[in-house]
Amino acid sequence: QVQLVESGGGLVQAGGSLRLSCAASGSIFSIKAMGWYRQAPGKQRELVATITSGSNANYTDSVKGRFTISRDNAKNTVYLQMNSLKPEDTAVYYCNADIRTTNWGRYDYWGQGTQVTVSL
């Protein structure tokens, strides 16, 4: 069994910052790519940022220069530092991880989601 547990969401004013964390636990052998996605009301889930096991990061254009994804492989944790937040960043943010389990399976796991609300 593998779980992804997110934390760090909340309400912030435009221009403010939040830091999201996502910790993976359970029967983990190794973690490949990790990432953050978001889903706003009435919209499809979209990719925000991804990071490889070697810490190569990619971002969707709308967050480049404002968000930073990072990971701590020793803690099986991925972070998303969000600066200069805008109302359009309001969404439920989901953590995702490509995990090889101890029984040699390889699966795509999702966290439960954390709400980020940016007010004017």
Side-chain angles (χ1 to χ4, degrees):
Q1 298 286 347
V2 172
Q3 284 188 316
L4 300 184
V5 179
E6 300 150 351
S7 60
L11 173 65
V12 64
Q13 287 189 326
S17 299
L18 283 173
R19 188 191 195 209
L20 306 182
S21 299
C22 173
S25 62
S27 303
I28 298 170
F29 178 76
S30 64
I31 302 178
K32 305 299 182 181
M34 303 183 82
W36 290 94
Y37 291 71
R38 66 186 179 187
Q39 187 167 18
K43 295 187 177 181
Q44 290 189 334
R45 189 173 298 189
E46 65 170 352
L47 173 68
V48 176
T50 60
I51 186 167
T52 67
S53 56
S55 294
N56 292 313
N58 284 288
Y59 302 90
T60 192
D61 286 345
S62 63
V63 308
K64 285 180 180 177
R66 300 188 298 122
F67 290 10
T68 301
I69 189 171
S70 61
R71 64 191 282 175
D72 184 332
N73 291 330
K75 295 181 179 179
N76 291 334
T77 299
V78 63
Y79 306 96
L80 186 68
Q81 178 66 44
M82 304 185 293
N83 298 329
S84 302
L85 282 160
K86 304 175 181 180
E88 50 264 44
D89 295 318
T90 295
V92 178
Y93 283 70
Y94 296 91
C95 171
N96 173 266
D98 177 4
I99 295 175
R100 186 179 294 278
T101 59
T102 54
N103 63 357
W104 299 107
R106 183 173 176 175
Y107 305 101
D108 203 35
Y109 290 93
W110 292 89
Q112 80 284 0
T114 185
Q115 177 70 45
V116 172
T117 303
V118 185
S119 63
L120 288 170

